[in-house]
C-alpha cells in the first residue's frame, strides 16, 4: 500500500477589485449573464462568461426544467455554446458568479462536478489550461490556473 496525497494550488483574492481590469470586466459579464438565469425551482442563479483566443466572449446561465435533471448549469451552457459556435477557438478564461435569491451568497461557489468534467474535456481538447475564477455575489474570488486543479484524477480520452 502506498498513500497518495493530492495537492492543488488555488489563489484567493479578498475582493474582485484586487484583480486586473480584464478579469473584473469578464466577471461583470458573468454577472449580467446571471440575471438571465432561469431558476424558478432552486432560486439559485449562476452566470458564466468565457473569453476565447479570438477575444469573443461567450456567456451562459443556468436553465432549469420542471423535469429537474433536464436543466443545465451555467458553465456547461456557456462551454457547449462555445464548442458549437467556435469549435477551433481555445478558451482562455472562465469567470463564474453564483448566488441564491433566498439568502446572501458571500463565499465563492465552485463549479459542480459535472461542469468540472465538461470543462476538463475542452481543456484536454485544446491542450492548454483554462483559467477559472469563481465567486459568490460578493466577497472573495478564487482563481485556479487550470481546470485540472479542480479535478484531480480526471477521466479523459487518454483511457479510452
Ligand atoms: N448550478 C450551476 O449553474 N452551476 C454549478 O456549477 C452548480 C449548480 C445551477 C444548477 C441549478 O439550476 C442550480 O444551480 C441549483 O443547483
Amino acid at each position: 500500500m502506498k498513500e497518495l496525497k493530492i495537492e492543488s494550488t488555488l489563489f484567493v483574492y479578498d475582493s474582485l477589485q484586487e484583480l486586473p481590469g480584464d478579469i473584473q470586466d469578464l466577471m461583470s459579464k458573468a454577472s449580467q449573464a446571471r440575471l438571465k438565469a432561469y431558476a424558478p425551482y432552486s432560486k439559485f442563479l449562476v452566470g458564466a462568461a468565457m473569453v476565447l483566443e479570438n477575444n469573443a466572449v461567450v456567456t451562459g446561465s443556468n436553465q432549469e426544467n420542471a423535469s429537474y435533471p433536464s436543466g443545465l448549469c451555467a458553465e456547461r451552457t456557456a462551454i457547449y455554446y462555445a464548442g458549437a459556435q467556435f469549435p477551433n477557438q481555445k478558451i482562455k478564461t472562465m469567470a463564474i458568479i453564483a448566488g441564491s435569491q433566498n439568502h446572501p451568497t458571500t463565499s465563492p461557489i465552485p463549479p459542480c462536478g459535472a461542469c468540472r468534467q465538461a470543462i476538463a474535456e475542452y481543456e484536454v481538447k485544446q491542450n492548454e489550461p483554462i483559467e477559472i475564477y469563481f465567486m459568490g455575489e460578493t466577497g472573495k474570488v478564487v482563481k485556479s490556473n487550470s481546470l485540472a486543479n479542480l479535478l484531480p484524477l480526471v477521466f479523459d480520452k487518454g483511457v479510452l
Side-chain angles (χ1 to χ4, degrees):
M1 197 277 279
K2 197 172 134 201
E3 189 177 284
L4 177 64
K5 280 217 169 77
I6 298 175
E7 205 172 81
S8 262
T9 302
L10 301 173
F11 302 92
V12 184
Y13 297 83
D14 277 336
S15 81
L16 193 54
Q17 280 64 47
E18 269 189 36
L19 285 153
D22 58 332
I23 301 302
Q24 293 187 33
D25 289 349
L26 195 63
M27 193 58 89
S28 157
K29 287 183 174 123
S31 182
Q32 285 160 31
R34 178 176 173 267
L35 300 177
K36 298 179 187 160
Y38 174 61
Y41 306 106
S42 72
K43 310 273 187 211
F44 194 77
L45 278 59
V46 187
M50 303 182 321
V51 63
L52 313 186
E53 64 180 342
N54 65 356
N55 288 322
V57 174
V58 170
T59 63
S61 56
N62 51 327
Q63 300 296 319
E64 297 187 348
N65 193 284
S67 171
Y68 293 179
S70 299
L72 196 64
C73 292
E75 297 90 327
R76 276 176 289 162
T77 303
I79 208 155
Y80 290 147
Y81 184 88
Q85 298 296 325
F86 302 99
N88 301 314
Q89 293 294 324
K90 292 182 178 177
I91 300 159
K92 306 296 280 182
T93 306
M94 179 185 270
I96 306 162
I97 183 161
S100 171
Q101 288 180 319
N102 295 326
H103 54 82
T105 304
T106 56
S107 55
I109 307 294
C112 77
C115 287
R116 293 181 207 193
Q117 181 69 30
I119 301 165
E121 182 70 27
Y122 290 86
E123 189 166 272
V124 170
K125 176 190 171 206
Q126 69 183 35
N127 197 26
E128 227 173 78
I130 300 175
E131 210 177 55
I132 319 254
Y133 294 84
F134 55 88
M135 66 180 297
E137 275 173 285
T138 57
K140 294 187 195 303
V141 183
V142 175
K143 174 190 182 190
S144 174
N145 284 335
S146 162
L147 185 281
N149 294 324
L150 300 177
L151 190 61
L153 304 182
V154 68
F155 180 92
D156 67 16
K157 65 179 183 182
V159 303
L160 298 178

